[in-house]
Amino acid sequence: MKFINDSPLKYLAFILPALGAFIMLVLIPGLQWAMDYKVIPVEYHAYITGTVMVILSWIGKKIYQPALHTSPLGFVTVTAGHSNKDPGAVRGKDKEADFVVKVRNAVELYLLRAGLTVKTDGKGSINLPLTNAIQIIRGSSTAIEFHLNASVNPQANGVETISLPKDKALAQKISKAIAGVTGSRLRGNNGWIDQSQSARGKLGFVSNGGLVVELGFISNDSEFAILQAKYWLVAKAIADVIIEHEKGLKS
Ligand SMILES: [Zn+2]
């Protein structure tokens, strides 16, 4: 058995039957007694009470309570690097843009399951360009974009997250979570790369407050093979860090 982390007291599905129980069990016998006239035979009270409870419970569950359906956590932007037109780094038939779409979709799923509101740069295999990705950052409490690194050196490896200095700790946690699954080493400062020290210079996504995650090297045989095999676990590890972070922002 698993308990939900929420109080039943605010749900009509609980409030109405509780109220009904009071009315049925106290008020009606009370009135009957006051009238000194047994309108409903006592042996039927349990049937009537039970039926009314079930109906009230059904009504309570059916009524939409908007205040209970707003996300308790903020909204998160999750995007895939490059686009359907720009494949990013390519290795044989594998394209960076296609792989990071799979990671984006998996991270989105885990965040939605945790009750977060998520915006993405496309659904399914859609991967909208960076300009769209930057536009949807606005208003989100965390924004994250996935990439794969590539190098002419086939040995180059490791995971890094590029961000503004204010998000250093979060960036390091994300890199560490990925490395915990893939066994990769952490690049930069414990997995964090300051935007100003990035080889790419200024990244639009980062300048707008987002984090750019380089999951590993597509050019490294073993690292990319592990990423492909374990991308669901990588996504789960990333989502867990974001969920924890979002909870921290709320408390
Ligand atoms: Zn890239």
Side-chain angles (χ1 to χ4, degrees):
M1 187 167 71
K2 198 179 160 193
F3 287 104
I4 57 165
N5 185 22
D6 203 359
S7 167
L9 295 174
K10 61 192 176 194
Y11 291 93
L12 286 175
F14 173 81
I15 296 167
L16 289 184
L19 218 66
F22 175 77
I23 292 166
M24 300 300 294
L25 295 172
V26 179
L27 211 63
I28 290 178
L31 281 172
Q32 292 200 160
W33 175 82
M35 290 187 292
D36 201 17
Y37 182 72
K38 303 282 182 275
V39 181
I40 303 161
V42 174
E43 59 266 36
Y44 291 138
H45 283 191
Y47 295 118
I48 294 165
T49 308
T51 308
V52 171
M53 287 307 113
V54 171
I55 293 168
L56 285 174
S57 182
W58 186 86
I59 294 170
K61 184 69 194 165
K62 196 77 184 163
I63 294 174
Y64 178 58
Q65 293 178 273
L68 301 179
H69 291 270
T70 51
S71 173
L73 301 168
F75 95 73
V76 176
T77 296
V78 186
T79 66
H82 306 278
S83 69
N84 291 118
K85 287 197 177 126
D86 159 27
V90 177
R91 172 205 173 87
K93 62 178 172 45
D94 293 311
K95 299 183 183 87
E96 176 188 354
D98 292 345
F99 182 76
V100 293
V101 159
K102 293 199 287 183
V103 175
R104 176 200 69 194
N105 294 349
V107 170
E108 180 196 18
L109 178 84
Y110 286 119
L111 295 178
L112 289 174
R113 277 189 186 174
L116 274 78
T117 306
V118 185
K119 273 194 192 178
T120 62
D121 60 341
K123 294 281 168 202
S125 60
I126 303 293
N127 183 354
L128 297 172
L130 180 63
T131 43
N132 298 70
I134 288 175
Q135 279 166 15
I136 59 170
I137 293 179
R138 199 184 176 87
S140 62
S141 40
T142 306
I144 188 164
E145 173 158 288
F146 301 113
H147 284 261
L148 287 170
N149 245 323
S151 169
V152 286
N153 171 12
Q155 302 302 315
N157 64 83
V159 50
E160 66 194 33
T161 301
I162 304 148
S163 79
L164 297 175
K166 72 176 176 66
D167 292 317
K168 177 184 175 182
L170 177 61
Q172 287 173 329
K173 277 185 198 162
I174 289 167
S175 292
K176 211 175 159 195
I178 297 162
V181 173
T182 60
S184 297
R185 73 184 181 91
L186 298 173
R187 295 169 63 86
N189 180 346
N190 264 323
W192 175 61
I193 304 243
D194 186 346
Q195 150 114 304
S196 60
Q197 290 162 21
S198 167
R200 295 164 205 77
K202 261 191 159 184
L203 297 170
F205 197 83
V206 175
S207 299
N208 283 276
L211 292 90
V212 165
V213 180
E214 300 279 0
L215 299 158
F217 281 72
I218 193 173
S219 49
N220 182 304
D221 280 337
S222 59
E223 191 166 70
F224 187 51
I226 291 169
L227 276 170
Q228 285 179 302
K230 296 189 171 179
Y231 82 90
W232 274 103
L233 293 171
V234 167
K236 172 130 188 8
I238 294 166
D240 285 345
V241 172
I242 295 172
I243 293 161
E244 274 313 301
H245 178 70
E246 290 292 312
K247 284 180 180 166
L249 293 179
K250 279 281 162 177
S251 58

